[in-house]
């Protein structure tokens, strides 16, 4: 059996010790329901309507494609339209015999071959109007064709401007400046075990209002190869948030919580994923945005808390975003919330934190926890 060698990596910034033990090389890697950047690794196969669904909502399709692809499509549209209208002008000139006629009998002035017709089409479509080539009153067909090309060019320019503005004001770009912490932590708050994670706005302009939602995703593979996915909402404190400063989202591990009976060892044996989202309105644009993230059991750090990053100055509050993802150890019982409540949350006593690997984080054996009534522990 092929294995990887064991090594230790010490992260002094987060005061945690990560261990990479021997792992089976053939062990199947778990697929996340949602990636850390908020994207879903889902690929459609034989979707209803196939490509017709993209053509029906062509504007949304153009907004969602990449910038280089959008510029390529619009450039080709302009060039092809100039070629087609230029071909039509050349056919009109050829039927009228403009190559041999005098200047007074031409349908399009100074258009005697395809090159001249293409240049006239490009000048008309781009509304350049040099004045050297122009439509005369000798052909009503040429006048109608010029009118059609001008209307088509206006419509095409309107679509281009609308798509560019929509892509520049895309909610995805704003969502990149609002983010969740890279990990979640479990610690004590008012003698209650809580699961928490951070949310912050990395820009100076603040958010008008926002709503946080959390879902627990479980997926089970069946013997036939299909997957059953279940969704369960989690209760959190303060769903509606004004994100002027980074805040901590808290879910209490109380009866009714799907994580109530899970301890630090149980997290590794349970395949679940926490999908968190923050839907908000920006104060500068008034556009609705959404930021998403997900946490697996490997992203949950038991017995840690986030370091304080907010300080008060003389005239301003000071935020140190270098501490946004930094955690530190705190005394926390390595028990499930159910077992912790069954033992009665002792008001006094000493509990030695056990030595052992907890979710790839090793507890420090010298930490002692003392329960005292009325003390808020985090």
């Amino acid at each position: 059996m092929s294995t990887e060698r064991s090594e230790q990596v010490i992260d002094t910034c987060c005061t945690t010790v990560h261990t990479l033990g021997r792992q089976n090389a053939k062990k199947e890697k778990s697929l996340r329901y949602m990636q850390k950047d908020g994207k879903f690794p889902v690929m459609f196969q034989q979707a209803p309507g196939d490509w017709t669904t993209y053509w029906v909502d062509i504007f949304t399709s153009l907004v969602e494609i990449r910038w280089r692809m959008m510029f390529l499509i619009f450039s080709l549209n302009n060039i092809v339209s100039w070629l087609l209208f230029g071909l039509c002008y050349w056919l009109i000139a050829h039927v009228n015999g403009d190559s041999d006629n005098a200047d007074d009998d031409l349908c399009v002035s100074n258009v005697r071959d395809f090159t001249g017709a293409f240049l006239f089409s490009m000048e008309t479509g781009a509304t350049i109007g040099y004045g050297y080539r122009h439509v005369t009153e000798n052909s009503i067909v040429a006048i109608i064709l010029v009118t059609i090309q001008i209307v088509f060019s206006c419509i095409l320019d309107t679509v281009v401007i609308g798509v560019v503005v929509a892509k520049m004001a895309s909610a995805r770009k704003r969502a990149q400046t609002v983010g969740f912490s890279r990990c979640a932590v479990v610690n004590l708050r008012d003698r209650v075990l809580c699961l928490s994670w951070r949310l912050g706005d990395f820009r100076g302009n603040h958010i008008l209002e926002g709503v946080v939602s959390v879902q627990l995703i479980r997926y089970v593979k069946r013997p036939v190869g299909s997957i059953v996915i279940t969704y369960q909402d989690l209760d959190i404190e303060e769903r509606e948030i004004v994100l002027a400063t980074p805040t901590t989202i808290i879910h209490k591990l109380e009866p009714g919580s799907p994580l109530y009976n899970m301890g630090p060892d149980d997290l590794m044996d349970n395949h679940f994923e926490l999908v968190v989202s923050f839907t908000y309105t920006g104060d500068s644009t008034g556009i609705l945005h959404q930021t998403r993230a997900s946490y697996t059991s490997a992203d949950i750090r038991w017995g840690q808390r986030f370091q304080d990053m907010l300080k008060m100055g003389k005239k301003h509050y000071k935020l140190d975003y270098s501490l946004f993802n930094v955690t530190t150890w705190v005394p926390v019982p390595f028990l499930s919330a159910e077992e912790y409540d069954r033992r009665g949350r002792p008001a006094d006593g000493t509990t030695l934190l056990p030595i052992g690997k907890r979710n790839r984080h090793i507890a420090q054996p010298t930490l002692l926890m003392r329960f005292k009534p009325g003390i808020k522990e985090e």
Side-chain angles (χ1 to χ4, degrees), residues 273-321:
E273 190 167 340
L274 291 176
V275 176
V276 298
S277 64
F278 180 53
T279 306
Y280 53 95
T281 303
D283 60 351
S284 57
T285 61
I287 299 177
L288 194 66
H289 307 270
Q290 186 181 72
T291 298
R292 299 185 297 266
S294 69
Y295 301 102
T296 61
S297 57
D299 299 322
I300 299 177
R301 299 180 180 180
W302 197 285
Q304 298 186 34
R305 70 169 181 85
F306 292 107
Q307 287 194 1
D308 298 331
M309 55 183 296
L310 180 62
K311 296 181 179 180
M312 181 180 295
K314 294 182 178 180
K315 295 183 179 181
H316 305 281
Y317 293 99
K318 298 181 180 180
L319 290 172
D320 186 2
Y321 265 102

Side-chain angles (χ1 to χ4, degrees), residues 190-256:
D190 296 326
R191 295 171 56 193
V192 176
L193 281 173
C194 298
L195 173 67
S196 58
W197 57 93
R198 260 181 178 166
L199 172 65
D201 184 6
F202 308 141
R203 296 192 57 174
N205 53 336
H206 305 309
I207 293 172
L208 295 180
E209 58 181 354
V211 179
V212 179
S213 61
V214 188
Q215 279 192 330
L216 180 70
I217 310 296
R218 297 179 186 269
Y219 34 90
V220 180
K221 290 185 177 180
R222 290 184 174 179
V224 294
S226 61
I227 299 177
V228 178
I229 300 178
T230 60
Y231 307 86
Q232 185 175 359
D233 293 329
L234 296 186
D235 293 330
I236 58 176
E237 296 182 349
E238 305 296 336
R239 288 185 176 272
E240 298 183 359
I241 297 174
V242 178
L243 199 60
T245 60
T247 185
T248 302
I249 312 301
I250 301 172
H251 167 67
K252 292 185 177 181
L253 303 182
E254 296 179 329

Side-chain angles (χ1 to χ4, degrees), residues 68-184:
R68 56 178 177 268
M69 186 60 64
M70 187 200 68
F71 286 132
L72 177 61
I73 291 176
F74 286 127
S75 298
L76 290 177
N77 283 338
N78 281 299
I79 294 174
V80 171
S81 65
W82 295 339
L83 288 172
L84 291 178
F85 282 105
L87 179 61
C88 294
Y89 293 129
W90 177 77
L91 290 176
I92 293 175
H94 179 71
V95 172
N96 192 54
D98 288 353
S99 58
D100 300 326
N101 292 343
D103 292 342
D104 296 338
D105 297 330
L106 298 179
C107 294
V108 181
S109 178
N110 297 310
V111 174
R112 298 180 182 273
D113 52 16
F114 179 76
T115 303
F118 174 75
L119 291 176
F120 174 71
S121 174
M122 183 173 60
E123 294 170 9
T124 304
T127 63
I128 298 176
Y130 291 123
Y132 181 70
R133 299 177 180 87
H134 57 86
V135 177
T136 65
E137 65 276 5
N138 297 329
S139 176
I140 187 65
V141 178
I143 296 175
I144 295 175
L145 188 61
V146 169
T147 305
I148 295 175
Q149 185 179 7
I150 293 175
V151 173
F152 175 80
S153 299
C154 291
I155 295 175
L156 184 60
D157 291 342
T158 302
V159 174
V160 172
I161 295 173
V163 171
V164 170
V165 172
K167 288 182 71 66
M168 293 181 65
S170 174
R172 298 176 184 176
K173 300 301 181 182
R174 181 65 177 97
Q176 294 177 1
T177 62
V178 178
F180 292 93
S181 57
R182 289 194 295 263
C183 66

